[in-house]
Structure formats: C-alpha cells, structure tokens
Amino acid sequence: MCGFALECWSFATAPQSVFPAISLARVEVFADAGDLAPEQIRASVADPLEAAFASVPGVIATRAYCDQGKLEIELDFQVHSDVREDLHNVQARIAEVREGLPVEHVTTLIEGPNMEPVVSYALRAPAVSQSELRKLVEAAVLPVFTGTPGLGRITVFGGPRVAFDVDLDPSKLRAIGSSAGNVADAIAAAERPRAAGTIVRGQERLLVLPPDAPHDFGTLAALAIANHRGSGSVDLASLGLVRVRDRSTNQQASFDASHAIILNAYPDISADVVSLKRAVEERLPALLRSLPPDTDVSIAWDQTRLIRASQNGLRDEMIAGALIALGIIYLFLRNRALTLVAAVVLPLAIALTALTLRAAGLSLNLMTLGGLAIAVGLVIDEAIVVVEAVAREVTDEGPGDAGQSIDRAVRGIARPLISATAANLVVFLPLGFLSGIPGFFFRALSITLALALVVSIALSLFVAPLLATTFGAGATRSRPRRLAIENAYVRVLQGAVRRAWLVYVSAAGLFALTAVMLAHLPTDFLPAVDEGQFEIKYALPPGMSLAAADQIATQIERAVLADPAVAHEARLTGVDTNGYLATPPDAGTIRVTLRPGAPPFDVVADRLRIAIGNVNAYAALEVHQLLEDQINDLSGAPEPIQLTVRGPKQRVLTDVATRIGDHISDLLGVVDAFDGVIYEARTIEALPRPGNLQSPEAFASDLQARTGGIVATELVAGGASVPVVVRLAGGAPLDRTVRLEPPQLVTQVREENGARIVRVTADIENADLSSVIARVKHQISYDVGRLPAGYSITIGGAVDAQRAAFREFALVFGVAILLVFAVLVLTFDSFRLPLIILAAIPLSPIGVACALYLTRTPINVSSFMGMLLLVVDGAERRRLEGIDANDALEQSARERLRPILMTTFAALGALLPLAVGIGAGSEMARPLAVAVAGGLLTATAFTLILIPVLYATARPRKSAKVTAKAPRFSS
C-alpha cells in the first residue's frame, strides 16, 4: 500500500506536458508591413533579410512566406547548434538592415510547441458590445496575469478594437495649409513623453514640463495643431470630427456560433502545462471582477485534456499489466510470499522512477508515461529472476535457516543480473544518433526505461531479499508443480540437437521470411493519437470581406455543432491561433472538442466534411488533430504529403500546382488536398492624376488617409491601449482624385533557399503513408514529364522524416547489438558464448512482423523502437535464463524452462493492456508494445530450441561429454 501511495503521489506532483522538452534548431522571423502586396514584400523585405541571413553561422536552409502585409521566414540551423546564440545572431542581422525595411514590427522567436495555447477561454457579455468587452479584457490582462508561473504570453482575439477616430475635413486642412499626414505626425509627436528642462528659483531647482500628452477623448480633441497659413494654432476638433468608435478590423472570434472574446494562455518553453492551466484558472475571478457582472466564461480549448486522459489511461494500463503479471507469477510459483515480494517491488520501482524523472527535470508526457508503462515488463523480469532464484534455493535446501537460503540465492544471481542490466543500459546509448522529433521523443522514453532498470536492480538485489525474509518466503518449502509440457519440451529439444542442420535451415528460412514480410508491411512516420479534439482550417473564396466571411463561418459552426459527437467549438477568423501566422479575413480555424465516448477522429472528420460541404461547397477544408499537426510542423513537414514545385515564374508555378492538386485529390487515402496556391485580396494600383504636384510620400499619405486611415499612435486610456486613426472624410470620390488601374489577382509568394516554390499538400486518412505515396508518384508521373525547362517536382513531407528516422534507427540497432556484445564479452571473457546468446536476436523480428501484420499496425518509429527493446530483453533473457557456462545442457533444459516461460508470459501480461490500447494516449506506445510482444513470443521459442542447439554444437570437444550423439537429458 505504501508503494502504491508513493506511486500515486509521484504522479500527482510531477510536472506534466504533452511533449518531452523540445528545443529545435529553428528560428522564426515575422514582419508586419502594412498592406504591401506579396511581390512587394518579397522584393523589399524578404530578399534583403534573406541576403543578411546568408552570413549567419550555421544556417542550412531558409523558407520565406510572403503574404499581403505579412512575412514569415523560417531559418533551420545545424542540429547541435546553440539555438539561443542562433537567435541572437539573427536579431543582429535584422538590426543591421532594419532601417531600410518598410516594416512596422519584426518579431523573432525560437520555434517550439509553446507557440500554441495551452488553454483558451471564451468570454461573452450581453450587456456590452464585443469591442467594449475586448477593451476591458485587454486593460485587465496585464495586472491580473503578470507573474503567473509558467506563463509565456497572453493574447486576446475577437471583434474590433475601440479607436479614437479623427475624421478631417479636407477644406479645413487646406485653410491652415496642412495635410492628414501632418496632423498624424503632430498627434504622434504630442504623445511622446518629453521634458523642457529645468529652471532655478532662488535655491530651488524646478523641472519644466510641457502639457500632458493626450490620454482621453477630451485631451485629444483639444490638442493644438499648427496653423501654417496664419499665426498660432487650432484645436484638433475644429478640423473635423473626433469620436470614439469601433475600428475596422480583419479578424473575428466566436464560441458555439456566437461572437466572443478569446483569451489564450501560452506556456513558457519548459512550463508544466497542467500547473499553468490551474494557475490561470485561479486568476480568472480577478479578471471577472473587472468585467460586467453578466460575463460568461467557457473553456474554448484545453490542451491539458489529452494530458490528463493519457495519464489516467496509461496509469490504468500499468496497473492492469502489473496485476496480470503478478497473477502469472503466482500461477508458476504457487507461493504467496514470493508473489507478494514482486507485488511490493513493482509499484515501488515505478514510483521511484517517476520521482527520479521529476528530480532530473523531466515531465510526465506521452513518451515518459509510455516508458513507465513498458517498464513494468522490464521491472517484473528482474523481480522474477530474484524471486525464482529464492524459490529454487529455499525448496532445494532442506530444513534450515531461510535467511541463509535467501542470501545464497541473491549472491548467486547478483553478478549475472548486474551484467544483464549493464547490457540493457548500453542499448540506449546509440539513441543519441537520433535527430529531430524522433530523437526528442524516444530519448525521453529511453531515459525513463534506463532509470527504471537502475531502480529495479537496486530494489531487486537489496529490498526484495529483505521482503522475502519479512514475508516468510522460506516457510513453505514445497517445490512448485512440474510443468505439464516439460517432458514434451525435453523430447523436442533432444530431436533438435540430433538434427541441428534442420534447425539451422529453418532459422535461415525464417530470417528470409522476416525480410520479405517487413518489406511488404505498410509504413508511417509516427503513430496517430486520437486526441478527442481537433481543428478545421477553412478558406473561403479570396477577397471576401470580413462581414461576409463571418456570416458563412457562423453557418459552418452551426453545422459542426449539429453533429452529436461535438461538445463545443471555437472559431478564429482572420487570425491564427498562435497570433503570428498571416491569415486573411476569408480564412480561419475552428477548434472542435468532442464529447466523451465520441467515435474516432476519422469518422467524425468525414461526417463534418460532408456537413460543411452542404453548407458551403466553396470552402476549402483541412481537418487535422492538433498534436499530429504540431509534430509535423516541428519535424519540418507540416503536411504528410508535400509536392514541391520549383521554378522561376509565379504564374507557371501556379498553373502546374493547380493541375497536380486536381490530379491527387481523388486518390484513395488522400483527403484535404490543397494545390498550395493562396490567393490574396485583389490589388488596385492607384496613380496620381496629371497635374498632381504632391510628392510621392505626400500622395501615399493622403491615399492612406482616404482608405484605411493613418494610425498616428496609441494612447493609454482607461488602462487599455487605444489607437488614434486619422482619416480624410468627405471630398471627391477616390476614383476622381486618383487614377485606378484594373484589379489584379495576386498569390502568396513562397521561397526556399531563395528559389520560388509552390507546395501542394494533402492529408492521409484510413491508409498508410507508403501506399499513398506510391499512388501519388504514379499519378503525377505524367505531369513530371510535361514540365517546362527549369521546373521540377519533388515529393516530401512526412515521407522524408520517415526515411531519415528509419535510417537512423537502423544505425542505432546495429550499434546497440555491438555494444551489448562488448558487454557480454567482458562478462564471459569469451567470444563464443556472447555470439550464442545474441544469435536469436536477428530472428526475433519474425514475431514483430507477424504481430504488426495481425494487428494492422504499420512500421513506424515507435515499432522500430520496439525492435530495439528486443535487444534489451533478448540479451537479458539469454544471459539470465538461457545459458550458463557452468551448467550441463541436459540439466539446464528442465531447470530453465519454468523461469523462461514465467518471465515471458509475465512480460507479455504486463504489455498486454498497452498493446491492446485501452487508454487515451496509448497510441504512441502501442506499436512499440505490439512489436515487443510479438518479438518476445518468437524469441522465447528460439531461446528454448535454437540457443541450446547452438550451445551443444559450438562447445569445445573436450567439454562435450557426448559428441557423436545428442547430449543425454535427465528425466
């Protein structure tokens, strides 16, 4: 009970997150450039920045995304570089060219999973307008949430912002010889704090200040504006209309199809996200005290939901696996005291491992939790070795001191147990070769398993004997019943030794069959996790106004809410969930939370695609789970399928990409195909009419004042930042004062390492990656053959990450076997016995292949990790259970059958709940458990047959009593 209580406490108090700590060598740069067109962004902002970044040490790739008024540049650095130093170098290069760039703001950051919110809240107050509610929320956010542990930043989305509008009368401006640009400059200058100087009166020095900067409607309206055609100045209010109203906006937010304010909390890079959500919730009452009494707060998005569900699910799987394993131990030993020893050691080992993870600064996440679930099988193996040795010693020794018998058993097993653990631990060293997301994920898992092994051997050697003495393990000296299959096994082994050539031929045939099966199994990159929530990216026809797009998006929301599986949804239009990525008013994101017990994601996603299509057939959709999308983004492959079209001319790229997108959209397994062509709002070039004597700067300033308005500055009023927008009101229509060129349709401009590209993307559903990629290659082969000179198409996406991960895992697998062999050579002081011990490892994958095939599990990096763990388990079993150089073969055949079967079935029982996947979040570790379980079954068969045959035939002649015939087996 104490061990179980300690386990529960360690789980409850450990830091928690979705992912292991991830620090990618990637820096992102975001720039705001007003309303510049994509080609203008490319020429005046992207190209100068990319040229500056070319001299940054360690840069290996750049990607630029030029949208209307927005620029995003991704910089990939060498894997082992110091990303904080990389960020500093990027910022230094930006500072060098910043003055010549037509940008308003430049933001730089290190890309990581903390770019998405942990929790989002929807706020609605019927008594006030959406803009007023936003103003109140923005004013209260800073004082309420400053100092929140683990909080990286807070964003507020939804509705227009309140603004001070200054609508200037052109005739009154002409009367004082001024312009809208001059007025905007005067407002900006007045807002800047300044001091006039000091004066001395008598013996006192006094500071002289000019009038206070405008801080509300009254002081802004009374601001003095210079009269350039007379003496003195005039009040701002005398030049037009100064008023408070909603500023025109390009973004909107809603919750359950009702407009709302969305408050997002983002974590710090190493935050405990569950604790962060709890801390944010504790501060919500203080925020609500600053808002209208009828304000309603709802959780719009909760990333910690998956963490809590996966923790509970994996905890249940650990408990179920442990109970099954303990039941198997009792069935084999028929000794309550010894079974109780294992029952105490197991939860104690898991609890101490979790505490060690916490002390090392590692969180409980999908990988460490999965590692703890898998560690049950490894821990139970070591406990069984000690328990079985104690059971054999106390039953073989006659009446006597039970404590001495237990001590002899532990002394006899200590050396091989320590050497086996050492062999296990060195297997994890080559995981340092893994890069990218698989490296971060499976290093966390391997650290967990390694800690579990170290804790387990310490408990098995030092605590288990004390428990055995305390529980009276030596009180019952009855020998466990003989296994019914023991005689049959001995006869089979005798025949196998007599016909060793047949065993070797069969092993070679199985090896060849394994290679064929593995080559034909479907493949994926990482397993998909059913998260219980997902997002729908939608794009409406380009150039649509926010009002029209908001109306259609509301209809889409109602179609989503009509699905019985949907609990609630939240929408952002014209702004991305991370607040950085460019999103036009005709596009947005709907985040959907499913009810408990809802059908799988794929089923619900298919239904919603049909329902949304019935509402608006022109909406382009991309439906994906957030965790899967984040993994793809962080691995450098935002979509599972990416077809990159390269070439010099944007129009040709657009035509080719559109054709390819149409060709792959109907392929089996392909969903949400997108041709990569992002159309921006149509552009109209405005030119001065003949006779206009304004300078280019004055003409542009007046044009801005007639259209979107000039944001002169932002005043702090009532605790909130309120923009001051200067406009030209009245006057002649725009087309009478300027010459307007015909509208032109423009597209987003993408560059990769300075070359233009368009990237066609698609998701995969109800199919494996390898088969879909094969269909895509066949489908586009005709398009590849028709490309103009200077253009190319390459296939990438998750398949690139998959190939890289598979190559690295193959290297890790080979190095791990060499390291285990080295440890065994040092242990045995022999090359022959280690070779015999490791001989069955190449044949274990036949069980892996069969298990993956029967469970319809693709080969991915998780199942590859399972094959690696077979090296761990295989080395330990052969070392502890299969061969002992000091035992005769005929004696060990019967003696080792029971512990081999007991450890195998106990480990299988411990893995069974995880392999079945009964809990949330188990999908990431399930392929690993399936691979290990399948490999264990066949590895056990090889341990019982192949290893003894190899040992019998490979022994030196002088140590083999019988050479011409099979060894004699005792009955």
Side-chain angles (χ1 to χ4, degrees):
M1 288 300 293
C2 292
F4 182 74
L6 180 62
E7 182 176 354
C8 293
W9 180 83
S10 61
F11 271 69
T13 58
Q16 300 167 55
S17 63
V18 176
F19 299 111
I22 296 175
S23 179
L24 294 176
R26 183 178 301 148
V27 172
E28 295 230 45
V29 179
F30 298 95
D32 294 325
D35 290 320
L36 290 182
E39 288 290 354
Q40 292 176 308
I41 295 281
R42 183 193 65 80
S44 61
V45 185
D47 287 353
L49 284 175
E50 288 182 288
F53 297 151
S55 61
V56 175
V59 173
I60 59 176
T62 62
R63 292 175 295 276
Y65 307 84
C66 306
D67 294 272
Q68 181 179 344
K70 299 281 188 179
L71 170 68
E72 176 192 1
I73 298 180
E74 293 178 344
L75 298 165
D76 288 342
F77 289 84
Q78 294 175 353
V79 174
H80 300 294
S81 67
D82 183 346
V83 70
R84 297 191 181 276
E85 182 178 347
D86 296 334
L87 177 64
H88 175 74
N89 291 334
V90 168
Q91 291 169 337
R93 295 300 186 276
I94 293 173
E96 292 174 1
V97 299
R98 176 71 173 81
E99 187 175 349
L101 299 179
V103 296
E104 300 170 2
H105 306 286
V106 178
T107 303
T108 57
L109 51 87
I110 299 170
E111 184 175 351
N114 62 321
M115 290 179 66
E116 291 294 332
V118 166
V119 61
S120 301
Y121 296 95
L123 298 96
R124 293 172 290 184
V128 298
S129 67
Q130 189 184 18
S131 59
E132 183 64 24
L133 181 60
R134 175 169 181 166
K135 177 185 174 183
L136 294 172
V137 171
E138 288 179 333
V141 159
L142 188 62
V144 168
F145 292 106
T146 296
T148 304
L151 181 64
R153 61 190 174 104
I154 285 274
T155 60
V156 179
F157 297 142
R161 296 179 65 188
V162 173
F164 292 121
D165 261 18
V166 180
D167 294 339
L168 300 174
D169 186 331
S171 62
K172 294 181 179 180
L173 282 178
R174 287 193 296 270
I176 65 169
S178 188
S179 66
N182 296 144
V183 173
D185 291 342
I187 296 173
E191 194 271 336
R192 288 192 291 268
R194 59 197 186 280
T198 59
I199 61 173
V200 176
R201 286 184 175 177
Q203 296 182 348
E204 184 181 8
R205 182 175 61 88
L206 301 173
L207 179 64
V208 179
L209 298 176
D212 286 341
H215 58 273
D216 56 19
F217 174 80
T219 54
L220 178 64
L223 181 67
I225 304 296
N227 184 351
H228 298 289
R229 292 188 177 174
S231 60
S233 61
V234 297
D235 290 342
L236 178 62
S238 67
L239 298 177
L241 181 62
V242 180
R243 55 183 173 174
V244 179
R245 71 173 185 178
D246 292 348
R247 183 188 175 191
S248 61
T249 181
N250 288 325
Q251 56 96 11
Q252 185 55 276
S254 69
F255 178 74
D256 285 350
S258 174
H259 285 166
I261 300 300
I262 302 295
L263 178 70
N264 302 292
Y266 301 81
D268 197 2
I269 191 67
S270 58
D272 175 355
V273 296
V274 174
S275 298
L276 171 59
K277 186 207 169 187
R278 191 180 304 119
V280 170
E281 285 183 340
E282 290 173 354
R283 287 163 169 77
L284 278 180
L287 175 66
L288 291 176
R289 285 194 290 269
S290 304
L291 304 180
D294 62 344
T295 302
D296 173 71
V297 180
S298 303
I299 294 180
W301 179 262
D302 184 4
Q303 193 185 82
T304 66
R305 174 182 173 180
L306 175 62
I307 300 174
R308 296 192 304 270
S310 62
Q311 180 172 328
N312 293 336
L314 289 168
R315 178 204 60 203
D316 294 343
E317 288 170 351
M318 277 190 285
I319 294 174
L323 292 176
I324 294 172
L326 292 172
I328 291 172
I329 293 174
Y330 178 75
L331 290 176
F332 274 90
L333 294 180
R334 303 288 180 172
N335 188 313
R336 292 188 182 90
L338 290 176
T339 305
L340 188 59
V341 170
V344 172
V345 168
L346 184 56
L348 194 59
I350 298 299
L352 290 176
T353 302
L355 288 175
T356 309
L357 288 173
R358 178 185 178 186
L362 299 177
S363 66
L364 291 180
N365 51 67
L366 288 177
M367 300 314 296
T368 52
L369 285 170
L372 289 172
I374 294 167
V376 171
L378 298 177
V379 171
I380 206 70
D381 269 5
E382 294 193 341
I384 285 174
V385 169
V386 173
V387 166
E388 195 275 335
V390 170
R392 188 171 63 250
E393 185 69 30
V394 298
T395 53
D396 287 347
E397 297 292 326
D401 184 15
Q404 293 181 357
S405 298
I406 294 172
D407 182 65
R408 283 193 299 271
V410 174
R411 289 178 180 274
I413 202 66
R415 184 178 177 185
L417 190 62
I418 293 173
S419 65
T421 301
N424 295 340
L425 292 176
V426 298
V427 168
F428 299 121
L429 294 179
L431 286 170
F433 292 121
L434 292 180
S435 61
I437 295 301
F440 289 111
F441 275 34
F442 290 99
R443 274 194 293 274
L445 184 140
S446 64
I447 290 172
T448 305
L449 293 175
L451 290 175
L453 284 171
V454 172
V455 170
S456 174
I457 190 174
L459 293 176
S460 297
L461 291 178
F462 300 107
V463 176
L466 297 177
L467 293 174
T469 303
T470 303
F471 296 153
T476 302
R477 298 185 177 273
S478 58
R479 185 181 298 274
R481 282 183 258 171
R482 175 179 292 183
L483 295 178
I485 64 170
E486 193 172 295
N487 291 331
Y489 164 61
V490 171
R491 289 193 296 270
V492 170
L493 186 57
Q494 288 174 334
V497 173
R498 283 193 296 268
R499 299 174 180 83
W501 63 270
L502 183 59
V503 174
Y504 297 149
V505 170
S506 300
L510 286 175
F511 185 77
L513 178 61
T514 300
V516 173
M517 288 188 68
L518 290 176
H520 287 82
L521 280 173
T523 60
D524 272 331
F525 176 41
L526 284 168
V529 177
D530 203 334
E531 304 170 32
Q533 46 193 7
F534 58 91
E535 65 179 19
I536 304 171
K537 297 279 190 181
Y538 70 89
L540 301 174
M544 185 176 291
S545 68
L546 177 64
D550 181 55
Q551 184 178 3
I552 295 174
T554 302
Q555 296 172 354
I556 293 175
E557 288 181 277
R558 291 173 181 149
V560 171
L561 289 169
D563 191 288
V566 174
H568 58 77
E569 57 79 33
R571 168 177 61 92
L572 294 177
T573 297
V575 62
D576 193 74
T577 52
N578 60 31
Y580 294 119
L581 297 182
T583 306
D586 50 54
T589 303
I590 299 175
R591 289 196 159 174
V592 181
T593 301
L594 299 178
R595 299 181 186 278
F601 159 71
D602 290 345
V603 175
V604 179
D606 284 342
R607 290 202 309 238
L608 291 182
R609 287 189 185 98
I610 295 172
I612 294 172
N614 293 334
V615 171
N616 190 294
Y618 300 103
L621 304 177
E622 179 191 340
V623 187
H624 55 246
Q625 298 187 106
L626 187 63
L627 174 61
E628 176 184 350
D629 187 58
Q630 280 188 286
I631 291 174
N632 289 334
D633 284 343
L634 295 172
S635 64
E639 305 296 339
I641 300 174
Q642 292 183 348
L643 306 175
T644 303
V645 187
R646 289 179 173 84
K649 294 184 178 181
Q650 188 72 19
R651 185 177 296 277
V652 177
L653 290 175
T654 298
D655 293 341
V656 173
T658 302
R659 189 164 59 248
I660 292 175
D662 291 339
H663 288 174
I664 70 170
S665 60
D666 295 328
L667 290 179
L668 180 64
V670 172
V671 295
D672 301 336
F674 175 50
D675 58 21
V677 181
I678 300 176
Y679 290 97
E680 307 285 353
R682 294 198 299 171
T683 61
I684 300 176
E685 188 175 6
L687 303 174
R689 288 192 175 275
N692 190 321
L693 301 180
Q694 287 180 300
S695 66
E697 293 78 8
F699 175 77
S701 180
D702 274 3
L703 186 61
Q704 185 178 1
R706 287 179 176 274
T707 52
I710 303 172
V711 180
T713 187
E714 293 200 3
L715 305 182
V716 177
S721 179
V722 182
V724 179
V725 183
V726 177
R727 307 175 191 275
L728 279 176
L734 185 63
D735 56 358
R736 290 187 184 180
T737 58
V738 300
R739 180 162 55 89
L740 300 179
E741 295 294 306
Q744 294 181 351
L745 197 62
V746 297
T747 62
Q748 180 197 60
V749 177
R750 286 191 181 188
E751 291 183 335
E752 192 169 75
N753 296 328
R756 285 180 184 264
I757 66 167
V758 173
R759 184 160 285 146
V760 182
T761 61
D763 281 339
I764 294 175
E765 190 173 281
N766 299 322
D768 61 90
L769 180 62
S770 55
S771 61
V772 173
I773 290 295
R775 295 187 198 109
V776 170
K777 287 181 177 179
H778 176 74
Q779 187 71 17
I780 69 169
S781 57
Y782 179 70
D783 296 293
V784 173
R786 296 179 58 201
L787 287 176
Y791 292 81
S792 65
I793 300 175
T794 56
I795 298 179
V799 67
D800 285 342
Q802 179 204 69
R803 289 169 183 161
F806 283 10
R807 285 194 301 268
E808 291 173 350
F809 262 109
L811 175 63
V812 167
F813 196 81
V815 173
I817 292 178
L818 290 176
L819 290 175
V820 170
F821 179 73
V823 171
L824 294 179
V825 167
L826 293 175
T827 301
F828 287 110
D829 195 22
S830 165
F831 285 96
R832 180 175 54 87
L833 288 177
L835 287 173
I836 293 174
I837 291 173
L838 297 178
I841 287 179
L843 299 177
S844 298
I846 184 64
V848 175
C850 292
L852 295 178
Y853 175 79
L854 292 175
T855 58
R856 298 182 178 181
T857 304
I859 296 178
N860 48 48
V861 293
S862 181
S863 48
F864 254 112
M865 187 69 186
M867 285 190 251
L868 180 65
L869 288 183
L870 286 177
V871 178
V872 174
D873 193 86
E876 181 173 22
R877 289 168 188 279
R878 285 12 159 237
R879 175 68 186 91
L880 292 176
E881 302 164 355
I883 297 294
D884 189 332
N886 298 319
D887 287 346
L889 184 64
E890 57 270 22
Q891 294 174 342
S892 65
R894 294 178 183 275
E895 186 176 288
R896 305 310 299 164
L897 178 63
R898 182 185 304 276
I900 289 174
L901 293 181
M902 183 164 57
T903 54
T904 296
F905 287 116
L908 287 174
L911 289 171
L912 181 61
L914 190 62
V916 173
I918 60 175
S922 62
E923 294 93 340
M924 191 65 73
R926 180 177 176 271
L928 190 154
V930 169
V932 172
L936 278 180
L937 287 173
T938 51
T940 299
F942 296 137
T943 299
L944 293 173
I945 302 297
L946 180 61
I947 298 298
V949 171
L950 284 170
Y951 182 71
T953 56
R955 283 185 305 176
R957 261 179 208 279
K958 64 180 181 179
S959 65
K961 303 299 182 183
V962 182
T963 58
K965 59 182 180 179
R968 178 179 56 83
F969 289 84
S970 60
S971 57

